[in-house]
Amino acid sequence: MTAKPIPVIAIDGPSASGKGTVAQIVAEKLGYHYLDSGALYRIVALAAFDEGIDWQEENDIAELVAQLKIEFEHGEVYLNNQNVSERIRTEIMGQGASQVAAHPLVRSALVNLQHSFRKAPGLVADGRDMASVIFPDAKIKIFLTASAEVRAERRYKQLLSKGQEADYQKILKDLQDRDARDMQRIVSPLIPTADANLLETSQLNVEQAVDIVLTTISAKNG
Ligand code: DC
């Protein structure tokens, strides 16, 4: 008898769609592990920045990835033993992440690390290509989205609530640029797979989105 594969719930979608928040809550409720794959690309962008490597330098960045020590612990992110949780969350590192993520060599250098998160009893993985490339055998595939305006509004309020400066029009423009780059790149573009469940969250709050995901999972299990 072959062992049952460890279940994966893949949650993909564009920037600021709320998929990270939803994925984390779903992982907690199921007692599953959680992979924030966007954080990996953000860490790579930050590491390249700190080393003075341009985000367009595919070979240099791919070599750098092989040397990075990346750890996640209690919701915090560590790069070479330094807590970089705050530094990777800035808008500029989001833009950098989107640029380094367009390089095939950088993406392939991160595949094994992403697979290593698949541990019993299960994994909730959030990103852009969780369902299409990294975990194509995921048990449940959710493509979570919201209009660019709603996502910009959410990001705007989030920044204000943290006491940071925020310019709605700039946030909207940055999101649209990032969407275009993530959707139009040659490797692993952001697109829903044919077998994905589409979840449009423009009119939903976090609890409602989590409930729909959990219902989708139990329907599949039942
Ligand atoms: O989810 P996020 O905003 O933290 O992701 C940052 C960038 O990383 C995003 O613009 C595209 C890239 N990314 C990717 O290409 N593939 C993933 N699986 C996750 C993120």
Side-chain angles (χ1 to χ4, degrees):
M1 210 174 81
T2 47
K4 264 195 174 174
I6 295 170
V8 175
I9 317 286
I11 304 187
D12 291 298
S15 304
S17 55
K19 65 188 171 357
T21 311
V22 170
Q24 275 181 69
I25 299 174
V26 169
E28 256 167 49
K29 295 213 179 223
L30 297 174
Y32 279 15
H33 299 276
Y34 168 58
L35 166 62
D36 173 3
S37 63
L40 300 179
Y41 292 96
R42 288 171 179 269
I43 290 170
V44 172
L46 176 68
F49 177 83
D50 284 348
E51 291 290 321
I53 302 173
D54 192 284
W55 288 327
Q56 294 309 312
E57 293 296 331
E58 177 167 12
N59 289 310
D60 290 356
I61 298 175
E63 267 175 40
L64 179 69
V65 172
Q67 298 157 23
L68 302 179
K69 183 175 164 207
I70 297 173
E71 290 162 307
F72 291 84
E73 230 173 85
H74 308 299
E76 302 287 312
V77 185
Y78 295 83
L79 168 62
N80 300 332
N81 304 319
Q82 303 280 327
N83 187 334
V84 293
S85 314
E86 294 268 312
R87 289 187 72 207
I88 62 166
R89 294 285 157 215
T90 58
E91 284 304 303
I92 181 76
M93 287 309 151
Q95 293 290 341
S98 173
Q99 290 179 45
V100 300
H103 302 311
L105 291 178
V106 173
R107 301 197 74 84
S108 54
L110 288 170
V111 170
N112 288 343
L113 177 59
Q114 293 177 84
H115 285 164
S116 73
F117 282 79
R118 187 174 194 166
K119 290 193 202 126
L123 174 69
V124 179
D126 107 51
R128 305 292 188 287
D129 61 343
M130 298 298 96
S132 57
V133 177
I134 305 296
F135 301 110
D137 65 336
K139 199 169 170 195
I140 308 279
K141 300 179 177 183
I142 309 274
F143 194 87
L144 196 148
T145 187
S147 71
E149 288 74 16
V150 167
R151 288 184 283 130
E153 174 90 23
R154 287 178 185 163
R155 175 67 54 89
Y156 173 74
K157 287 188 178 152
Q158 194 183 36
L159 289 173
L160 288 186
S161 72
K162 286 198 225 159
Q164 294 180 21
E165 273 183 33
D167 173 343
Y168 173 81
Q169 287 304 334
K170 179 164 184 335
I171 294 170
L172 179 61
K173 164 90 176 49
D174 286 350
L175 267 182
Q176 287 166 333
D177 287 351
R178 195 128 69 93
D179 282 357
R181 198 178 309 114
D182 293 347
M183 291 192 287
Q184 288 161 15
R185 69 179 173 224
I186 309 288
V187 276
S188 313
L190 171 68
I191 34 155
T193 53
D195 52 354
N197 297 273
L198 296 185
L199 178 52
E200 158 57 60
T201 68
S202 297
Q203 310 293 330
L204 302 178
N205 62 29
V206 172
E207 293 76 43
Q208 291 167 321
V210 167
D211 277 351
I212 294 174
V213 174
L214 290 173
T215 308
T216 309
I217 296 169
S218 34
K220 182 91 178 185
N221 287 339

